[in-house]
Amino acid sequence: MESGNSTRRFSSFFLLGFTENPQLHFLIFALFLSMYLVTVLGNLLIIMAIITQSHLHTPMYFFLANLSFVDICFTSTTIPKMLVNIYTQSKSITYEDCISQMCVFLVFPELDNFLLAVMAYDRYVAICHPLCYTVIVNHRLCILLLLLSWVVSIFHAIIQSLIVLQLTFCGDVKIPHFFCELNQLSQLTCSDNFPSHLIMNLVPVMLAAISFSGILYSYFKIVSSIHSISTVQGKYKAFSTCASHLSIVSLFYSTGLGVYVSSAVVQSSNSAASASVMYTMVTPMLNPFIYSLRNKDVKRALERLLEGNCKVYHWTG
């Protein structure tokens, strides 16, 4: 037992990243740095627009602001470490840092998952029960749903991390990824513990399935309600409030499915890492663009925010 613990604690972990070719490192560094800055800036603008514009102080935009905050945290758990590794030309990460990164990272995909389901419920109540909307989706319910999402996500991350802590890693562990990802770690362990591996793979799928089922049910009810509207203008107005959310849901679950399939079916480590980029970087980066382009209220709020900042800058200058 001592030797197992010793092996588990003192193994060296190496993040292999995308390529061993040093000539591509600068290109990868520049690409991911620019994507990270765009992601953080875009989501911060969404948050600032919602905070500063009083007409956006509604449940839908409350959840959108939290989704933007989660997306910033989502990318910040992995990309800065990868950029530092490329800049310092070091691939090593300590056992403790690897487990910590994995644990923190696991919180945010589940939060995205739950927030998208909560936003679908919000749209369901707004369209199917418009007269009762402010009574049902009140401030207290919004806070409770947000807290519940955080609690379940953190609990899931802790459980998964505790399972990984029980696994044994032999010698130097080379992770064919740019961050400490749960599936990659489970494949590199020396332990042959089927129940642990089953829980590690089954629980995330179950949580995603529950949230996705809630989204499907909400939109089934929404489509039925929109179908009963007599005028084309009324149908368009009702559907337009869901267009941005539907786009993000499609992007999030399609990329998430791609990551799951690539890690479970495809044997190429590069394919898994590339699919993870779509999930961990591209989706959070595109979310602000989707809402700013497809949602008129957010678009106007961003224009006012940027115009206000330009006026302040011009006046102080």
Side-chain angles (χ1 to χ4, degrees):
M1 188 75 178
E2 271 181 27
S3 103
N5 287 338
S6 176
T7 303
R8 183 170 64 246
R9 287 179 184 168
F10 298 105
S11 293
S12 298
F13 285 70
F14 294 93
L15 297 171
L16 300 183
F18 294 100
T19 178
E20 298 287 337
N21 187 352
Q23 296 179 350
L24 295 176
H25 286 175
F26 176 77
L27 178 62
I28 293 172
F29 181 88
L31 177 64
F32 275 85
L33 178 60
S34 59
M35 290 174 68
Y36 178 66
L37 292 176
V38 169
T39 301
V40 172
L41 181 60
N43 283 287
L44 277 177
L45 283 174
I46 293 288
I47 295 170
M48 290 301 298
I50 292 171
I51 291 174
T52 56
Q53 304 298 318
S54 59
H55 69 283
L56 297 183
H57 293 175
T58 63
M60 182 174 85
Y61 296 111
F62 169 77
F63 292 123
L64 175 59
N66 279 278
L67 183 68
S68 294
F69 172 74
V70 169
D71 282 342
I72 292 173
C73 297
F74 193 6
T75 55
S76 296
T77 56
T78 58
I79 302 306
K81 174 60 179 174
M82 186 195 74
L83 294 175
V84 169
N85 283 359
I86 295 174
Y87 183 77
T88 59
Q89 298 184 354
S90 171
K91 297 182 178 181
S92 65
I93 183 171
T94 65
Y95 174 79
E96 292 78 8
D97 288 345
C98 187
I99 299 300
S100 299
Q101 185 188 56
M102 183 203 70
C103 181
V104 175
F105 175 81
L106 285 172
V107 173
F108 299 113
E110 291 305 332
L111 266 174
D112 267 349
N113 193 29
F114 291 130
L115 284 173
L116 289 174
V118 169
M119 292 170 77
Y121 171 73
D122 170 78
R123 291 299 83 206
Y124 155 71
V125 178
I127 293 173
C128 300
H129 306 285
L131 298 179
C132 304
Y133 176 68
T134 55
V135 176
I136 298 174
V137 188
N138 52 45
H139 180 72
R140 182 182 177 185
L141 180 64
C142 292
I143 298 297
L144 285 174
L145 289 173
L146 182 63
L147 286 175
L148 181 63
S149 299
W150 273 98
V151 168
V152 175
S153 300
I154 292 172
F155 182 72
H156 166 249
I158 291 173
I159 292 298
Q160 295 281 32
S161 300
L162 289 175
I163 293 174
V164 173
L165 286 171
Q166 302 306 311
L167 302 177
T168 301
F169 297 96
C170 303
D172 294 340
V173 179
K174 296 181 179 180
I175 305 171
H177 219 294
F178 61 94
F179 69 97
C180 292
E181 201 255 344
L182 178 65
N183 288 331
Q184 293 293 334
L185 287 176
S186 66
Q187 293 172 16
L188 296 170
T189 179
C190 299
S191 306
D192 186 17
N193 193 332
F194 178 75
S196 296
H197 288 279
L198 182 64
I199 293 172
M200 290 166 67
N201 288 282
L202 192 60
V203 172
V205 174
M206 288 178 60
L207 291 174
I210 291 170
S211 297
F212 189 63
S213 298
I215 293 171
L216 287 179
Y217 177 79
S218 296
Y219 274 103
F220 174 77
K221 290 292 186 179
I222 287 170
V223 170
S224 301
S225 180
I226 291 175
H227 184 70
S228 64
I229 299 174
S230 56
T231 64
V232 175
Q233 186 179 4
K235 289 180 179 180
Y236 176 78
K237 185 178 179 181
F239 182 77
S240 64
T241 63
C242 306
S244 300
H245 180 258
L246 265 176
S247 301
I248 291 176
V249 166
S250 302
L251 185 63
F252 178 80
Y253 283 102
S254 61
T255 54
L257 181 63
V259 171
Y260 180 79
V261 170
S262 64
S263 60
V265 178
V266 181
Q267 298 300 317
S268 172
S269 58
N270 287 333
S271 298
S274 300
S276 291
V277 172
M278 293 293 297
Y279 186 62
T280 59
M281 277 299 298
V282 177
T283 301
M285 183 181 70
L286 291 180
N287 285 353
F289 291 100
I290 291 172
Y291 262 96
S292 60
L293 293 175
R294 300 185 67 92
N295 188 296
K296 293 181 180 178
D297 290 334
V298 174
K299 188 176 181 179
R300 288 171 189 158
L302 287 171
E303 288 172 353
R304 290 174 188 171
L305 179 66
L306 294 174
E307 285 173 6
N309 287 339
C310 288
K311 288 178 182 177
V312 170
Y313 175 78
H314 178 73
W315 184 78
T316 55

